[in-house]
Amino acid sequence: MFFIDTLDIAGLGNRSYLAGGERSALVVDPPRDIDQVIAAAARRGVRIAYVAETHVHNDYVTGGLELARVTGAAYLVPAGARVSYERVAVWDGDRVEVDSGAGLVVRALATPGHTPHHTAYVLEENGAVVAAFTGGSLLTGTVGRPDLVEPRLTGRLARDQYASAHRLARELPDETAVLPTHGFGSFCSSGRADGEVSTIGEEKVCNEVLLRDVDTFVADLLAGLDDVPAYYTHMGPANATGPAPVDLTPPAAADAEEIAARLAAGEWVIDLRNRVAFAEGHVAGSLNFEAEGQLATYLAWLIPWGKPVTLLAASPEQLATAQRELVRVGIDRPAAAATGEPEGWVTDGLVSFPRATFADLAARPDAHSDADPSRHPGPRPVVLDVRRDSERAAAFIDGSVHIPLHTLPRRLREVPEGQVWVHCAGGMRAAIAASLLHAVGREVVAIDDGFDAAERAGLVVRTHARDEVTEQAAPATRTHG
């Protein structure tokens, strides 16, 4: 008998795996906080004999090197990966016995594309294939993106990705479980990955990489690539050098005076509470990155790399969870932290800003681009869309200003004068953007609403398809967002 346990790293949209028999196990693509992996092995009563990386990761800091050191496991890394530490170099076709009593073996399968050296691991029980740990190659309904290594390699890697997916589909039985690392909200995925469990047979009937010819697939893949989080630049080098062990002990406690001093010094003070609580009252100059949202992704994406960060949390538990998420993307030690009620974080009172819905915006007579300025003197409210380019391309509010959230810190001066109503797709990113603007003294309203409510509320929502129709019918009335 064998088992496969999934370790879901939801904040980053990734998964790690623990697979083994009664005595020993293999860990694939472990997170940096290895204590949870060790605990999972302890619950199974197995020894971690092998730690395997499918590739040098670009989206998070691995715990593989440290896990292998702590447990004494052999560290399997693709032979083509350029790393500066000792490991067991894995070549295409290499086989490793995981648990002899269970007849468990893993076989390396070269699957370049996501990276040039990418390798999948096929799990066999007594010679029968049961699962494939596909890393960033074949994902659920999509593939890993090929543009994270070197721009000049992207075209070639896209074709390699196509060939690798077809190799997996050709060489593995239809009932083989497909167990990717990326794709559950990860920016390493080239598209949306749906579903909890998939098989090779299911991918053959739903995955575009297995249904299209190579030229069509590559063209569409490259055309659909989304923005790359800025912190990815630092992940690959950290993983190639060898990440240091993590320290998850509580940071030094900060009182109101220290928080004020850190803000005055230009450091980032991050309020981890939910966006409703933050809007109702927060430390002036602090920024709102919800602990329950994609904290690690967006904080690491926006913060100037290496800038000290102080965390403000509703509870010690919330602080500890945030620390765990942040070490996964290389934000290792907060400079300081405070927990409890926000009134204890200030010496001169909290500040606030309003929240609203799209219906609230639509109810304003001056909110529409065709509003009569003579009836509503003064500037109209600025509607700021902080979604990504790909989201904006699908639909946008007529007359809105578009500055993607990940570019906003360096483009704050581009936001027009006046009251700013900030929106995204659901409210989380709008809260971050509103806090950035409020911190520099702007009057803001955070729209905490789903974008699909904008048109229902009566706002004019444009799409490219509609623009083309409007242009043909009445060019003089066409508007742009």
Side-chain angles (χ1 to χ4, degrees):
M1 292 291 294
F2 72 94
F3 70 87
I4 300 176
D5 289 342
T6 300
L7 286 75
D8 195 2
I9 316 299
L12 296 177
N14 288 328
R15 290 178 177 175
S16 299
Y17 301 95
L18 174 72
E22 293 185 357
R23 297 182 178 178
S24 56
L26 162 82
V27 178
V28 180
D29 290 341
R32 195 176 183 198
D33 47 323
I34 62 172
D35 57 331
Q36 62 173 311
V37 184
I38 294 172
R43 286 192 295 270
R44 286 286 186 178
V46 295
R47 176 179 64 91
I48 297 175
Y50 296 95
V51 177
E53 304 282 6
T54 57
H55 59 293
V56 175
H57 303 281
N58 291 290
D59 64 324
Y60 69 94
V61 181
T62 181
L65 182 63
E66 180 65 5
L67 181 60
R69 185 190 69 79
V70 168
T71 63
Y75 192 25
L76 311 179
V77 178
R82 297 180 179 178
V83 296
S84 57
Y85 44 79
E86 292 186 8
R87 87 288 193 199
V88 177
V90 176
W91 300 88
D92 184 44
D94 282 355
R95 301 171 65 87
V96 172
E97 188 176 65
V98 176
D99 188 302
S100 58
L104 284 185
V105 171
V106 288
R107 171 167 53 93
L109 200 66
T111 48
H114 187 50
T115 67
H117 59 267
H118 191 283
T119 299
Y121 296 92
V122 178
L123 183 66
E124 301 176 358
E125 181 188 33
N126 296 318
V129 174
V130 293
F133 302 103
T134 55
S137 53
L138 185 65
L139 310 185
T140 308
T142 185
V143 295
R145 58 193 300 168
D147 62 327
L148 301 179
V149 177
E150 159 62 54
R152 291 172 296 182
L153 298 178
T154 298
R156 191 196 84 192
L157 289 177
R159 291 182 175 273
D160 288 346
Q161 190 73 302
Y162 181 92
S164 292
H166 279 259
R167 182 186 184 189
L168 289 165
R170 183 176 63 252
E171 296 186 11
L172 301 180
D174 283 355
E175 61 272 19
T176 305
V178 175
L179 303 175
T181 299
H182 303 311
F184 309 94
S186 168
F187 282 87
C188 268
S189 169
S190 66
R192 180 178 175 82
D194 295 312
E196 293 297 309
V197 179
S198 182
T199 65
I200 289 292
E202 291 169 341
E203 293 304 308
K204 285 181 178 179
V205 299
C206 72
N207 198 315
E208 293 294 332
V209 71
L210 301 176
L211 298 174
R212 294 184 169 190
D213 66 88
V214 62
D215 291 331
T216 302
F217 171 77
V218 168
D220 288 347
L221 174 65
L222 298 182
L225 292 173
D226 211 335
D227 302 306
V228 178
Y231 71 91
Y232 277 25
T233 301
H234 307 281
M235 301 297 97
N239 288 325
T241 302
V246 299
D247 179 1
L248 292 175
T249 58
D255 58 16
E257 288 76 14
E258 181 176 354
I259 292 170
R262 290 189 177 280
L263 283 166
E267 298 181 10
W268 277 32
V269 174
I270 305 303
D271 191 325
L272 300 167
R273 296 175 301 146
N274 69 70
R275 55 186 180 265
V276 176
F278 180 86
E280 290 175 347
H282 57 271
V283 178
S286 64
L287 306 177
N288 183 213
F289 290 78
E290 291 182 314
E292 293 77 17
Q294 291 179 282
L295 167 67
T297 294
Y298 282 102
L299 179 55
W301 197 340
L302 270 64
I303 193 170
W305 198 251
K307 180 176 282 291
V309 60
T310 294
L311 301 179
L312 309 179
S315 66
E317 293 76 18
Q318 186 180 66
L319 174 62
T321 298
Q323 283 185 258
R324 182 176 293 274
E325 288 201 28
L326 293 177
V327 297
R328 295 170 182 163
V329 292
I331 301 177
D332 283 8
R333 288 295 295 169
T339 60
E341 297 299 324
E343 288 78 9
W345 304 338
V346 294
T347 57
D348 54 358
L350 301 170
V351 297
S352 63
F353 56 75
R355 295 165 51 251
T357 65
F358 284 111
D360 295 325
L361 175 61
R364 292 179 56 109
D366 58 353
H368 302 270
S369 60
D370 58 354
D372 184 351
S374 65
R375 294 179 56 195
H376 311 286
R380 291 198 307 268
V382 177
V383 179
L384 177 62
D385 180 353
V386 297
R387 297 173 302 156
R388 297 187 299 277
D389 290 341
S390 59
E391 297 170 283
R392 175 82 174 185
F396 59 91
I397 296 173
D398 185 37
S400 60
V401 175
H402 182 225
I403 301 178
L405 174 61
H406 62 275
T407 70
L408 184 59
R410 66 176 183 272
R411 299 176 62 186
L412 290 170
R413 293 183 179 179
E414 297 179 30
V415 180
E417 293 299 318
Q419 186 183 63
V420 186
W421 289 58
V422 191
H423 84 84
C424 59
M428 181 194 73
R429 287 174 291 171
I432 297 173
S435 71
L436 285 164
L437 288 162
H438 198 243
V440 296
R442 296 299 301 270
E443 182 184 1
V444 297
V445 178
I447 298 179
D448 194 357
D449 204 356
F451 183 73
D452 57 358
E455 191 166 18
R456 293 198 306 268
L459 295 167
V460 178
V461 175
R462 302 290 187 189
T463 67
H464 289 298
R466 288 184 186 177
D467 281 351
E468 291 168 3
V469 172
T470 305
E471 183 177 36
Q472 294 170 3
T477 63
R478 183 184 183 194
T479 58
H480 298 266

